[in-house]
Amino acid sequence: MLNENIKSIRKSKGLSQAELAIKLGVVRQTISKWEQGLSVPDSDLLISLSEVLETPVSTLLGESVVEAEADALQAISEKLEVVNLQLSRRKDMGRKAVHALFILLCGAVVIVSALLFALGSPYLGWDYSDPETAVMGTVFHAFEWLFVRAAPVILIGAIAGIFLTRKRA
């Protein structure tokens, strides 16, 4: 039984005989002999083997681990299901956050457009002989100029983003 358990656990851990031999400080042929049942590890190597394979000595010495593998696969499957559910929730929350940002962006563009329209470029009537007024007027004009050109693109992009990030049934 020991030979079968060593082989099956080694394979389930994805280790080759050579890799296991290196971790234990023995030659590959020693691992091969153990798995063929031609020899057995001494007590020190058995403890080292259990540590490397992350398996209790009792499991190594016990009966076949095929049943334990099925239980382990079931446990792994359940853990993966939980992880997938958590990832799905995180992805859904991220999608909702991006969706909300697109909605806020649309609202911001509409509000700023309405303010600019309602104010009607008041800086055009300012006295630009004062340097501070000239700077503020230039800043307002530059903002309005950039906003008027960028707002349609931003609005169209945000509306497209809202449709692309909506919850699909």
Side-chain angles (χ1 to χ4, degrees):
M1 295 295 167
L2 175 64
N3 59 335
E4 294 169 4
N5 290 345
I6 292 173
K7 186 175 185 175
S8 63
I9 294 171
R10 174 185 60 79
K11 286 185 175 183
S12 72
K13 300 289 184 180
L15 294 171
S16 67
Q17 287 182 345
E19 292 169 332
L20 181 57
I22 290 170
K23 290 183 179 203
L24 292 173
V26 297
V27 294
R28 188 201 57 79
Q29 289 80 1
T30 302
I31 305 296
S32 178
K33 286 181 182 178
W34 292 347
E35 290 182 356
Q36 292 175 16
L38 301 175
S39 68
V40 293
D42 63 16
S43 59
D44 290 335
L45 279 175
L46 189 59
I47 292 170
S48 297
L49 182 63
S50 74
E51 290 171 356
V52 168
L53 295 177
E54 299 172 339
T55 304
V57 173
S58 60
T59 302
L60 290 172
L61 296 173
E63 295 185 17
S64 175
V65 294
V66 174
E67 296 168 8
E69 286 181 13
D71 291 340
L73 287 175
Q74 179 65 24
I76 290 171
S77 175
E78 290 171 0
K79 287 179 182 177
L80 284 174
E81 187 176 337
V82 169
V83 168
N84 282 336
L85 183 60
Q86 290 172 344
L87 288 174
S88 174
R89 286 182 182 160
R90 182 174 291 157
K91 182 180 177 183
D92 192 45
M93 287 178 59
R95 182 198 51 79
K96 286 179 181 178
V98 171
H99 186 75
L101 285 175
F102 281 130
I103 290 172
L104 288 173
L105 185 60
C106 281
V109 168
V110 169
I111 290 170
V112 171
S113 296
L115 282 172
L116 288 176
F117 182 74
L119 292 175
S121 303
Y123 57 87
L124 294 177
W126 292 356
D127 177 20
Y128 282 91
S129 61
D130 180 24
E132 290 179 11
T133 306
V135 170
M136 288 303 294
T138 304
V139 169
F140 278 131
H141 181 71
F143 172 76
E144 185 178 72
W145 186 86
L146 287 172
F147 183 80
V148 167
R149 278 144 186 82
V153 175
I154 294 171
L155 189 61
I156 290 169
I159 291 171
I162 289 171
F163 282 107
L164 292 174
T165 59
R166 73 186 187 282
K167 186 173 184 176
R168 293 173 180 90

